[in-house]
Amino acid sequence: MLIFGLFVAVTLVIVLRASKNTKTAADYYAGGRSFSGTQNGTAIAGDYLSAASFLGIVGAIAINGYDGFLYSIGFLVAWLVALLLVAELLRNTGKYTMADVLSFRLRQRPVRIAAALATLMVCLFYLLAQMAGAGALVSLLLGIDSRAGQSVVIAIVGALMILYVLIGGMKGTTWVQIIKACLLIAGTFVMTIWVLALFGFNLSALLGAAVETADGNEALLNPGLQYGISEITKLDFLSLGLALVLGTAGLPHVLMRFYTVPTAKEARKSVVWAIVLIGAFYLFTLVLGYGAGALIGPERIENAPGGVNSAAPLLAFELGGPLLLGLISAVAFATILAVVAGLTITAAASFAHDIFANVIAKGKTSPEKEVKIARRTVVVIGVLAIVGGIGAQGQNVAFLVALAFAVAASANLPTILYSLFWKGFTTQGALWSMYGGLGAAILLIAFSPVVSGTETSMIVGADFAWFPLKNPGIVSIPLAFLLGFLGSKLDRRTEDPVKQAEMEVRSLTGVGAEKAVDH
């Protein structure tokens, strides 16, 4: 608990210092665009390497072996889509939020409302995972088994998150994410070397020990333990892969990070730096997952408070006793705080900038008033995240995040790509794509085994699941692309060709982007 307290105190001091320089809307939403590509890339890694990456994936590998590692591959490959198709073009075209890009050459009001709604839904899904992870982690550390005790922990994490974002804005949040990324990668690196040292730096010996601890279950080393059971599970894996690979380029809190750098070149550099850090981290999770399987065993992990999510903390305790457990738990706690802060400021910016400033006030508001509305939104989103996190306790957080990726890939990515690359895209196409993708993803999740019908569902004892897959991506993502295409082709209204030409020039060359951003 001392390590926890120390981390919270240090980060609060940093956030308070950052708040002194948070005066304008650009400061609050985009950190004054004062971060270098390296700093922003580290912050992106801090934002992206969530509780799901650390707790969920290590647990998934420990329990399901090879199939668990497929999460890591999906999360990493996704960055190529963001780098090649989105990062630089988005930075050149937008100002603060994803809706700035989507509404650039389309009708402002309906597109901003749809984009803001999609942003809020993705952020809430993602927040559920982080809050559930926070409850599992701190409960394991303090030995809290009761649901009520874990609920109190989630409420405290939510209150801290609200405090961070209210005070520090994007600047404070970014510095928390940079510190957390350094701590997380350093902590996992130390544990990886430690685990490998125990097995004489022989990966084969480590894998063999993991199989032996799992009662000789060699399926841990082969594809198919989790996703090869039936045709449905194979389809589920395909759906999961689609959601992970296409979801990153549609995540609003990741996209918003591209606005915190001064130029498009720095945005590109950010993504390259993030890929290096994230790639290294996912290699560490492979060793840590099989290390947890070898030294602790699947049975102990599944029966611990927090279930699958407890593999990494249990491994830390096995290696270094209470001290390393405290350090690793503090790092994981920092991970959760940094990610929820990034998500919360994104959701708040989307509501204040897109809904309030551009739809309700029709552009006739001051930056100060906009920031005030954003801060109030932070409190509302924080409370919703706490309530949702309490409801999502016990779920694998890597799996919950995969649902957020599916919603992002369905609601946001088709519209972003069409806006940037297709001249014939219209407002009707954007609305069909966003609402159709978002609605389909949420509807299919609601009637899937995630919510009801199995022992591990959110609503135990109920069964209204008619959609057989746990991830909706394989249906909702192609549907969103199709709806965007049909909506545009069937639209009788045409969009302004001058705005279309301006967007194309600005997105590809950056000409005019700096002026628009500054004013």
Side-chain angles (χ1 to χ4, degrees):
M1 281 309 289
L2 180 66
I3 299 166
F4 266 76
L6 192 65
F7 172 78
V8 171
V10 169
T11 46
L12 270 175
V13 169
I14 291 162
V15 166
L16 283 166
R17 282 177 67 95
S19 70
K20 291 175 184 174
N21 298 320
T22 302
K23 296 181 176 69
T24 66
D27 289 333
Y28 193 76
Y29 295 144
R33 307 188 206 283
S34 58
F35 293 97
S36 69
T38 305
Q39 288 173 329
N40 194 47
T42 309
I44 287 174
D47 207 355
Y48 192 69
L49 297 175
S50 62
S53 305
F54 186 41
L55 303 177
I57 291 176
V58 172
I61 295 170
I63 303 295
N64 296 311
Y66 185 98
D67 281 17
F69 187 57
L70 293 172
Y71 277 99
S72 297
I73 295 167
F75 282 135
L76 181 59
V77 169
W79 275 102
L80 295 175
V81 179
L83 174 63
L84 299 173
L85 296 179
V86 173
E88 185 179 351
L89 305 181
L90 203 80
R91 170 62 187 76
N92 284 339
T93 316
K95 188 176 181 185
Y96 297 137
T97 65
M98 177 184 75
D100 288 337
V101 178
L102 302 185
S103 64
F104 190 97
R105 63 184 180 90
L106 306 176
R107 297 204 305 281
Q108 291 270 328
R109 188 183 174 88
V111 172
R112 281 193 184 274
I113 292 170
L117 185 65
T119 296
L120 291 168
M121 289 309 300
V122 173
C123 288
L124 278 173
F125 263 96
Y126 219 121
L127 280 166
L128 289 188
Q130 306 311 316
M131 297 306 232
L137 176 77
V138 184
S139 304
L140 180 73
L141 190 69
L142 302 178
I144 300 168
D145 289 332
S146 71
R147 193 174 176 87
Q150 290 193 26
S151 300
V152 171
V153 168
I154 290 170
I156 292 167
V157 170
L160 266 175
M161 164 194 79
I162 292 167
L163 187 66
Y164 276 38
V165 181
L166 279 180
I167 297 169
M170 182 57 94
K171 258 186 192 162
T173 300
T174 299
W175 281 113
V176 171
Q177 287 166 345
I178 289 170
I179 292 164
K180 165 254 155 149
C182 296
L183 285 174
L184 180 63
I185 290 167
T188 50
F189 174 71
V190 168
M191 282 179 67
T192 300
I193 297 299
W194 198 328
V195 168
L196 287 173
L198 289 177
F199 295 93
F201 292 95
N202 185 333
L203 196 58
S204 295
L206 169 63
L207 298 177
V211 168
E212 199 176 312
T213 309
D215 300 324
N217 184 8
E218 290 196 3
L220 279 172
L221 307 182
N222 301 311
L225 182 58
Q226 185 179 5
Y227 293 113
I229 301 164
S230 65
E231 292 305 315
I232 288 292
T233 54
K234 287 174 185 174
L235 265 180
D236 223 344
F237 168 63
L238 189 59
S239 191
L240 172 72
L242 264 178
L244 295 182
V245 171
L246 298 178
T248 296
L251 288 175
H253 68 294
V254 170
L255 299 177
M256 197 168 165
R257 290 234 54 91
F258 299 138
Y259 300 129
T260 64
V261 290
T263 64
K265 182 184 175 185
E266 293 295 316
R268 268 201 319 276
K269 187 178 171 185
S270 298
V271 180
V272 173
W273 189 244
I275 288 172
V276 170
L277 293 174
I278 292 164
F281 173 83
Y282 284 135
L283 285 176
F284 299 156
T285 60
L286 180 65
V287 175
L288 296 180
Y290 277 114
L295 298 171
I296 298 151
E299 196 175 325
R300 262 182 70 195
I301 292 167
E302 288 180 314
N303 292 328
V308 177
N309 304 319
S310 64
L314 285 172
L315 177 62
F317 185 75
E318 192 77 19
L319 294 173
L323 180 63
L324 188 60
L325 172 63
L327 283 167
I328 293 301
S329 298
V331 167
F333 187 66
T335 298
I336 291 162
L337 270 180
V339 175
V340 294
L343 287 163
T344 308
I345 196 165
T346 302
S350 184
F351 179 81
H353 181 64
D354 297 324
I355 300 288
F356 174 76
N358 286 288
V359 175
I360 297 171
K362 296 178 181 173
K364 298 171 185 172
T365 186
S366 66
E368 292 76 21
K369 175 79 172 170
E370 199 177 310
V371 171
K372 193 181 285 185
I373 294 293
R375 287 191 159 120
R376 288 176 186 168
T377 311
V378 165
V379 178
V380 175
I381 289 161
V383 171
L384 287 173
I386 290 166
V387 172
I390 289 168
Q393 286 175 64
Q395 298 285 320
N396 182 326
V397 287
F399 174 69
L400 285 173
V401 164
L403 294 183
F405 273 64
V407 175
S410 306
N412 298 340
L413 185 67
T415 315
I416 291 170
L417 294 182
Y418 278 145
S419 291
L420 291 171
F421 297 107
W422 184 27
K423 289 181 182 179
F425 194 49
T426 68
T427 300
Q428 180 173 288
L431 297 179
W432 283 24
S433 178
M434 278 191 280
Y435 285 129
L438 180 66
I442 291 173
L443 183 74
L444 294 177
I445 289 168
F447 292 100
S448 75
V450 174
V451 175
S452 71
T454 69
E455 289 178 12
T456 55
S457 299
M458 285 185 183
I459 305 173
V460 180
D463 187 2
F464 45 84
W466 49 260
F467 182 66
L469 306 182
K470 290 183 176 179
N471 194 294
I474 198 167
V475 174
S476 58
I477 297 169
L479 179 67
F481 273 105
L482 178 64
L483 287 171
F485 177 77
L486 289 176
S488 298
K489 285 293 183 185
L490 298 173
D491 196 353
R492 291 177 182 174
R493 294 181 62 160
T494 56
E495 304 301 337
D496 184 352
V498 176
K499 290 296 283 183
Q500 155 61 33
E502 185 189 339
M503 180 172 181
E504 189 173 6
V505 170
R506 183 185 291 187
S507 65
L508 294 173
T509 66
V511 173
E514 302 310 315
K515 186 180 172 187
V517 161
D518 291 336
H519 297 285

